[in-house]
């Protein structure tokens, strides 16, 4: 900021140092014991005290910049101490001996809870629906121990529909077993409850009213198209129950994830309208801030006080503080103060990428956007255009290191996508809020407002769909913390160096040269799917999903993995628009749990499976998915053949039903042999030794020889050596989850395949893997980015 004397004053970063210290120490302490966290916190406070004493005893004539650096060092150390102590205090509840003993024992308990967020249905699976409920644990009583009283966050895995309609603030009691929480958060336990909860009283009137408004908005959006009708409630109040996961993936790929749920943008729009109306009646700054605070509190209740909504509200509160104080330069200290308060109140936010993105985006808007806007205007850019360019560019640059660390790519499309999306956000938000508020009084009027809001929302859908399908929309970059820190260092260095005009011109020339040089390569060779691919094993975790090409945009899919989203993403990467055949090898959840992802946004022509009834829940899930598409599950056995284009598919098994084996469903797997472009592929499902031996003796070596083999049962030890030898594949695909609990794949089995000359491709190490037709033989391609499990 330029002062009257022409000097540039840096923003006050002392509170920023305090917030940074809290952030880093909280993140570290989340992965420590409470005792270690207290030690770290004590060390931080002692260091802050020593630095403060040294600062006070230093000569008074020290340069101003050196003094500012010393104060920042003091505040960073003080923040580190406060953050570690606050986190350790929360963790000490989880480590209390009585509670830890109940978790370890697994004995039945009675618990009194307060619901803190809307129950969420966990995705896909062959079993009954399971609801995930965030709660505050008040009392836990074991079979013999005295009641334990506490106030700590926990999760409930509820297997009864009675959990579905609970509202935040509802007090309940439930019976179940305590499971250990995952590391890295503040939950003290997970309660697995098979019975319905027992309700005590009712939620507060505010939560009941919010529930009525949210339900009214959903009813108003029911007649709308699925994409825009599912997005509008998410954009307005964070209700993503109808949001298509495929659409959510498009928003993520385009750098527009903040639009699929409540964000600081929504809060800013709402407060901007309220502020405009209040100022029309000539209210002063304090009155305006008070009215905006009431509107902000009401919006938080409506959107549910989840961490994402709280952080969005905090970013909106920054503007309120600046308004009440009348000082525009108070914004940066206000941002740091808001971040520090949130982290002390909820140290778990330190590990939340959404929190980091919210704070960094707001910092970019405060520190980078104004000088960029002014620079553009000074060069003749119209005022509105300058702001429209500077705001998304500043936010994306500030968030870039975190986004890159999470995705392993640098998006080239996010800034233009967010730029063209800006005009639609405000009308969609305001019309959606209006529909929610009007729904209890005039449902028809609410439906009309939702219909109006659907048009700007549909524009957001078009932008996300288009941006996600641009082949050169993102370039690869090292992922994880190293990649994020590398990009952050480059970004900071560039921002300092770019103050010189020659550096700006050089950077512009280099960037344009890189884009213009790389763009044709990215467009002509986008990398995936590889040309002339014969078979792809999708990285779906601990499960199977195999894809065979059946023409442009068409494929045969064998199994669907354990969850819908991974198989859907794999098919989207392969640009599969029509599944001419879905073949289910057997009905275990790791092969059919993701069946709805195969049907998501695609036409499925036929579904086949083995003539085996178990597990019944899995078979019912496949029949239900097929029935929803108007087709029936057909059984297939030896002699069944399917031909489409240059793909031929033959069923080799199961033969006679096998009973009393190690696993009857596995040993009655559908076994397929495909011929694609003259190359053979053998898909063994989860066949174990008994079925493999039967197949070997029934079909013979000549009928089993294959160029590519999908190793049975994720490479388990239960393999027939004779079968492996006669198949003699050049490529062996192993579909398996990283760090699984089953010991898959088996080392000796892989060694035997390697001795036979097979190239082994594992999805847990390589992500999606493909066998490709090459001149004179086969080639293999791995996409990378395997899932965590």
């Amino acid at each position: 900021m330029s002062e009257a004397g022409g000097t540039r004053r840096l923003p006050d970063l002392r509170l920023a140092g305090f917030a940074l210290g809290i952030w880093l120490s909280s993140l570290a302490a989340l992965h420590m014991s409470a005792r270690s966290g207290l030690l770290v916190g004590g060390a931080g406070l002692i260091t802050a005290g020593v630095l403060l004493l040294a600062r006070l005893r230093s000569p008074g004539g020290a340069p101003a910049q050196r003094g500012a650096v010393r104060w920042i060092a003091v505040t960073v150390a003080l923040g580190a101490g406060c953050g570690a102590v606050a986190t350790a205090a929360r963790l000490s509840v989880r480590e209390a001996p009585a509670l830890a003993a109940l978790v370890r024992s697994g004995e039945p308990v009675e618990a009194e809870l307060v619901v803190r967020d809307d129950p969420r249905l966990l995705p896909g699976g062959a079993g009954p629906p399971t609801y995930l409920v965030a709660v505050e644990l008040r009392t836990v009583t074991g079979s013999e121990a005295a009641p334990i009283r506490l106030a700590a966050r926990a999760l409930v895995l509820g297997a009864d529909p009675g959990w579905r309609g609970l509202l935040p603030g509802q007090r309940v009691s439930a019976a179940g077993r305590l499971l250990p929480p995952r590391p890295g958060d503040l939950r003290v336990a997970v309660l697995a409850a098979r019975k319905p909860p027992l309700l005590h009283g009712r939620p507060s009137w505010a939560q009941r009213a919010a529930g009525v408004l949210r339900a009214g908005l959903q009813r108003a959006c029911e007649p709308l198209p699925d994409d825009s009708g599912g997005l509008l409630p998410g954009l307005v109040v964070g209700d993503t129950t109808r949001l298509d996961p495929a659409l959510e993936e498009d928003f993520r790929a385009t750098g527009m994830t903040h639009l699929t749920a409540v964000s600081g943008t929504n809060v800013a729009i709402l407060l901007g309208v309220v502020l405009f109306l209040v100022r029309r009646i000539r209210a002063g700054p304090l009155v305006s801030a008070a009215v905006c605070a009431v509107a902000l509190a009401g919006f938080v209740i409506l959107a549910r006080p989840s961490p994402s909504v709280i952080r969005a509200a905090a970013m909106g509160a920054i503007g309120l503080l600046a308004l009440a104080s009348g000082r525009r330069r108070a914004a940066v200290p206000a941002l740091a103060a808001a971040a520090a308060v949130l982290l002390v109140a909820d140290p778990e936010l330190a590990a939340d990428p959404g929190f980091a993105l919210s704070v960094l985006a707001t910092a970019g808007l405060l520190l980078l956007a104004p000088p960029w806007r002014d620079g553009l205007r000074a060069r003749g850019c119209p005022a509105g255009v300058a702001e429209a360019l500077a705001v998304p560019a500043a936010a994306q640059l500030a968030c870039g290191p975190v986004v890159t660390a999470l995705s392993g790519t640098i998006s080239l499309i996010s800034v233009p996508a967010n730029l063209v999306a800006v005009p639609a956000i405000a009308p969609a938000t305001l019309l959606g809020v209006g529909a929610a508020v009007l729904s209890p009084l005039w449902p028809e009027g609410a439906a009309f407002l939702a219909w109006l809001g659907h048009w700007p929302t549909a524009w957001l859908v078009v932008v996300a769909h288009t941006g996600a399908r641009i082949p050169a929309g993102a370039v690869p970059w090292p992922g994880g913390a190293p990649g994020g820190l590398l990009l952050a260092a480059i970004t900071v260095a560039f921002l300092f160096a770019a103050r010189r005009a020659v550096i700006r011109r050089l950077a512009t020339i280099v960037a344009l040269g890189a884009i213009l040089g790389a763009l044709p390569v990215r467009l002509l060779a986008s990398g995936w799917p590889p040309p002339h691919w014969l078979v792809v094993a999708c990285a779906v975790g601990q499960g199977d999903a195999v894809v065979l090409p059946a023409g442009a945009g068409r494929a045969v899919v064998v199994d669907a993995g354990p969850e819908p989203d991974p198989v859907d993403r794999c098919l989207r990467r392969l640009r599969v628009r029509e599944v001419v055949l879905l073949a289910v090898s057997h009905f275990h959840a790791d092969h059919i749990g993701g069946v709805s992802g195969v049907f998501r946004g695609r036409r499925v022509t036929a579904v086949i499976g083995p003539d085996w009834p178990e597990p019944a829940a899995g078979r019912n899930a496949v029949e239900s998915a097929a029935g929803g598409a108007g087709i029936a599950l057909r059984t297939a056995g030896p002699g069944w053949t399917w031909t489409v284009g240059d793909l031929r598919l033959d069923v080799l098994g199961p033969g006679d039903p096998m009973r009393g084996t190690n696993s009857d469903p596995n040993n009655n797997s559908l076994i397929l042999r495909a011929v694609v472009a003259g190359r053979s592929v053998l898909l063994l499902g989860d066949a174990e030794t008994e079925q493999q031996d039967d197949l070997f003796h029934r079909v013979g070596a000549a009928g089993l020889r294959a160029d590519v083999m999908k190793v049975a049962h994720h490479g388990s030890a239960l393999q027939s050596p004779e079968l492996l030898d006669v198949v003699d594949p050049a490529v062996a695909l192993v579909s398996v989850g990283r760090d699984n609990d089953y010991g898959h794949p088996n080392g000796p089995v892989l060694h035997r395949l390697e001795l036979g000359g097979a190239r082994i491709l594992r999805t847990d190490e390589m992500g999606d893997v493909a066998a490709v037709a090459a001149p004179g033989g086969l080639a293999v391609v791995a996409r990378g980015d395997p899932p965590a499990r």
Side-chain angles (χ1 to χ4, degrees):
M1 180 178 295
S2 297
E3 303 295 323
T7 60
R8 182 182 297 274
R9 292 186 59 185
L10 294 174
D12 188 346
L13 296 178
R14 287 174 292 181
L15 274 179
F18 180 68
L20 180 63
I22 293 178
W23 199 336
L24 295 177
S25 63
S26 298
L27 180 60
L30 283 172
H31 297 275
M32 300 178 183
S33 65
R35 179 184 177 87
S36 299
L38 286 174
L39 293 176
V40 170
L45 294 176
I46 292 172
T47 302
V50 171
L51 291 174
L52 180 60
L53 289 175
R55 172 69 181 88
L56 294 176
R57 293 178 178 178
S58 63
Q65 289 184 349
R66 185 182 303 172
V69 171
R70 289 177 177 175
W71 275 117
I72 292 173
V74 171
T75 58
V76 169
L78 181 62
C82 293
V85 169
T87 307
R90 297 290 193 90
L91 290 173
S92 65
V93 178
R94 180 166 68 188
E95 297 175 6
L99 181 63
L102 284 177
V103 173
R104 286 194 303 269
S105 69
E107 67 177 78
V109 299
E110 294 282 343
E112 294 183 6
L113 319 163
V114 178
V115 178
R116 290 307 181 201
D117 203 352
D118 289 303
R120 182 164 56 91
L121 179 65
L122 292 180
T130 301
Y131 298 92
L132 186 68
V133 190
V135 299
E136 182 178 295
L137 200 58
R138 295 291 179 85
T139 304
V140 181
T141 306
S143 57
E144 299 179 358
I148 302 172
R149 302 188 182 279
L150 67 166
R153 65 184 61 179
L155 286 176
V156 173
L157 291 175
D160 187 278
W163 292 95
R164 178 176 53 196
L166 297 180
L167 292 174
Q170 175 70 61
R171 293 187 304 111
V172 304
S173 58
R177 298 179 185 273
L178 292 180
L179 306 176
R182 69 179 184 181
D185 63 31
L186 295 178
R187 295 179 179 89
V188 298
V190 177
L191 177 67
R194 301 188 64 83
K195 297 180 180 179
L198 179 62
L199 308 186
H200 301 288
R202 305 172 66 191
S204 67
W205 67 267
Q207 291 293 353
R208 295 200 304 273
V212 170
L213 296 182
R214 290 166 67 92
L217 178 58
Q218 279 288 5
R219 285 194 299 272
C221 293
E222 281 179 1
L224 302 178
D226 290 341
D227 283 346
S228 56
L231 177 61
L232 186 58
L235 175 67
V236 174
V237 296
D239 186 353
T240 58
T241 53
R242 276 188 61 198
L243 183 62
D244 184 356
L247 177 61
E248 189 173 11
E249 181 66 22
D250 283 346
F251 273 84
R252 185 179 296 110
T254 317
M256 298 166 59
T257 307
H258 58 286
L259 299 180
T260 61
V262 175
S263 68
T265 302
N266 307 81
V267 176
I269 291 169
L270 181 64
L271 293 184
V273 172
V274 172
L275 184 61
F276 172 78
L277 296 176
V278 171
R279 283 184 170 175
R280 294 285 292 177
I281 60 173
R282 301 182 184 278
L286 291 177
V287 173
S288 299
V291 173
C292 287
V294 172
L296 184 61
F299 183 75
V300 168
I301 294 174
L302 175 63
R304 302 299 195 219
S306 62
S308 62
V309 176
I310 294 296
R311 65 173 179 255
M315 297 305 105
I318 294 169
L320 290 180
L321 181 61
L323 174 65
S325 65
R327 297 169 56 201
R328 291 172 58 89
R329 284 166 46 196
V332 173
L335 171 63
V341 169
L342 285 173
L343 287 166
V344 170
D346 185 4
E348 193 175 311
L349 288 173
D352 183 1
F355 177 76
L357 292 173
S358 292
V359 174
L360 290 173
T362 306
L365 298 182
L366 295 175
L367 297 174
L368 301 179
W372 290 2
R373 175 201 61 202
D374 296 342
L376 289 171
R377 293 180 64 179
R379 289 166 175 78
C381 186
V385 175
E387 186 160 311
L389 291 172
V391 167
Q396 291 297 324
L397 185 70
C399 295
V402 175
V403 174
T404 297
L406 295 173
S407 66
T409 61
I410 296 178
S411 176
L412 303 179
I413 197 64
S414 58
V415 171
N418 280 277
L419 179 62
V420 298
V422 165
I425 299 174
T429 300
L430 296 176
L431 289 168
V433 171
V437 172
L438 196 60
S439 61
L441 306 173
W442 187 18
E444 294 79 7
F448 177 69
L449 289 181
W451 178 79
L452 291 177
H454 129 79
W455 292 104
T457 308
W459 170 246
L460 298 177
V461 172
V462 169
V463 173
H465 277 323
T466 304
R469 283 157 178 76
I470 294 178
V475 294
W477 186 268
L485 291 174
L486 175 62
L487 183 60
I490 293 174
T491 301
V492 171
F494 170 75
L495 289 175
F496 276 101
R499 290 182 295 180
R500 297 176 177 270
V502 64
I503 298 296
R504 290 198 299 271
R505 296 190 185 99
L506 180 61
T508 301
I509 293 172
V510 172
L512 287 176
I515 293 173
L516 294 176
L519 191 60
V521 177
R522 295 280 295 168
L523 289 174
L524 295 176
S526 57
W528 197 263
H532 312 298
W533 61 283
L534 303 172
V535 59
V536 167
C538 298
V540 294
Q542 183 65 15
D544 270 12
V546 178
V547 187
L548 301 163
R554 309 171 77 203
V556 169
V557 177
V558 183
D559 291 326
E563 295 179 354
D565 290 350
V567 67
D568 174 45
R569 288 195 290 266
C570 180
L571 293 176
R572 285 157 57 83
R573 291 191 290 265
L574 294 171
R575 303 180 191 136
V576 174
R577 298 183 300 274
E578 179 182 357
V579 176
V580 297
L581 176 67
L582 170 60
V584 177
S585 67
H586 63 296
F587 300 105
H588 276 154
D590 58 334
H591 291 250
I592 59 88
V595 67
S596 62
V598 177
F599 284 83
R600 187 182 291 162
R602 297 176 192 87
R603 180 170 177 257
V604 179
T605 305
V607 182
I608 63 170
D611 187 12
W612 188 257
E614 298 173 350
R619 189 177 188 96
N620 292 339
V622 175
E623 289 176 340
S624 176
I631 55 180
L633 170 63
R634 298 165 53 190
T635 60
W640 188 93
T641 298
W642 180 285
T643 303
V644 54
D646 61 355
L647 168 65
R648 176 186 171 91
L649 202 63
D650 294 295
V651 174
L652 304 183
D656 295 332
M658 289 191 170
R659 293 180 174 85
T661 66
N662 179 64
S663 171
D664 289 350
N666 285 351
N667 281 310
N668 287 278
S669 287
L670 199 67
I671 297 177
L672 303 171
R673 187 176 189 275
V675 177
V676 186
R679 300 286 181 177
S680 53
V681 180
L682 182 63
L683 306 175
L684 293 170
D686 270 6
E688 297 181 354
T689 308
E690 296 94 334
Q691 189 181 11
Q692 291 183 29
D693 286 337
D694 173 76
L695 183 69
F696 171 69
H697 292 103
R698 185 166 46 82
V699 177
L704 293 175
R705 172 72 181 90
D707 298 302
V708 182
M709 179 179 71
K710 199 285 297 183
V711 181
H713 201 189
H714 322 295
S716 79
L718 301 176
Q719 309 285 337
S720 166
E722 292 83 5
L723 181 73
L724 296 180
D725 292 342
V726 300
V727 175
D728 190 26
V731 177
L733 307 177
V734 183
S735 183
V736 64
R738 184 189 297 179
D739 300 327
N740 66 84
D741 299 327
Y742 305 99
H744 298 162
N746 177 264
V749 169
L750 299 185
H751 183 62
R752 188 181 189 97
L753 289 167
E754 288 175 336
L755 289 178
R759 174 71 182 275
I760 297 175
L761 305 180
R762 297 172 48 171
T763 60
D764 61 333
E765 295 180 344
M766 305 176 180
D768 297 349
V769 291
V772 178
L778 289 176
V780 295
V781 180
R783 183 181 177 274
D785 191 26
R789 288 185 69 86

